[in-house]
Structure formats: C-alpha cells, structure tokens
Amino acid sequence: QVQLVESGGGLVQAGGSLRLSCVASGFRFALDYYAIGWFRQAPGKEREGISCTSDDDGRTSYVDSVKGRFTISRDNAKKTVYLQMDNLKPEDTAVYYCAIKMFGKQECSVYGMDFWGKGTQVIVSS
C-alpha cells in the first residue's frame, strides 16, 4: 500500500525558509518509474501544483510563483522527497501536499495523481 507522509510545516515570518519532507513507502522508491510532486491549497482557493519531478522525462518543473524560491529534490536512500522553500511570502500560506502518479503518463496534475499524503500546514506571517 502506497503511503506518503508530509512533515516540516509550521509558522515562519516572511522572508524565512522551511523544508518540507515527504516520506514514501509501499513501492520501490529508487526503482519504480513515477512522477512525484508538491501541491498546495490555500483557504478558499483551489488546490494547485507547485513543483514536480518525473521519471518520464527526467525533468523538474515549478509553477511561476515559486520559481527561484522553491527547490524539489529526492533522496532515494531515505525514500524522501523534499521541498526547500526560501524567501517565503504570506501568499505561500497553505496546506502543502505530496502526491504521486504511478500509472499512465508520469506527469503531475491536480486531478491525475494516484496517491496523496494528508498534508502539512505552512503559515507565513507578514
């Protein structure tokens, strides 16, 4: 059974940094092919994809609003995907989710992921 568990959220002042972690289990993290990404949902807003890394084309991608501030990375030994978030802004306040696409085309999309974590809250104060 695939499980994704996020951690690392919290309260931070604008301009600060956080590193989110997503520990994966239930599949061969280093050997299987998939796309894994980070999404977020702010109060009253739709969930949006913010970063993705895919084995399909070997690329990482970011939504424009976080380019240059957020970095996605993977540690196969720890079966963990990270999201390093720097220069945080109040508009980054949201619940952050990790999700994986294992079946079909390996790409990240809000409605196409196969498994989701439960999320971790990030609050950025001004």
Side-chain angles (χ1 to χ4, degrees):
Q1 178 178 345
V2 175
Q3 287 191 320
L4 303 171
V5 180
E6 304 96 333
S7 63
L11 174 63
V12 63
Q13 288 188 332
S17 298
L18 285 174
R19 188 177 77 159
L20 305 183
S21 299
C22 171
V23 178
S25 61
F27 64 101
R28 301 178 303 173
F29 189 89
L31 297 178
D32 287 341
Y33 284 83
Y34 50 86
I36 192 164
W38 288 94
F39 299 75
R40 67 185 179 187
Q41 187 165 18
K45 294 187 177 180
E46 293 187 354
R47 190 170 298 187
E48 66 169 341
I50 55 175
S51 184
C52 181
T53 179
S54 172
D55 289 330
D56 192 43
D57 56 13
R59 294 192 306 133
T60 58
S61 60
Y62 300 90
V63 69
D64 285 346
S65 60
V66 307
K67 282 181 180 177
R69 300 189 298 122
F70 290 11
T71 305
I72 190 171
S73 62
R74 290 168 50 170
D75 185 331
N76 288 342
K78 295 183 178 180
K79 300 182 180 181
T80 301
V81 177
Y82 300 100
L83 186 68
Q84 177 66 41
M85 306 188 296
D86 298 317
N87 190 21
L88 282 159
K89 303 176 181 180
E91 51 263 42
D92 294 318
T93 294
V95 177
Y96 284 71
Y97 300 89
C98 175
I100 189 168
K101 175 71 170 174
M102 302 186 73
F103 309 108
K105 185 172 176 59
Q106 292 145 14
E107 59 186 6
C108 295
S109 63
V110 172
Y111 298 106
M113 307 308 279
D114 296 313
F115 300 96
W116 290 83
K118 294 183 178 181
T120 185
Q121 176 75 58
V122 172
I123 300 173
V124 184
S125 63
S126 56

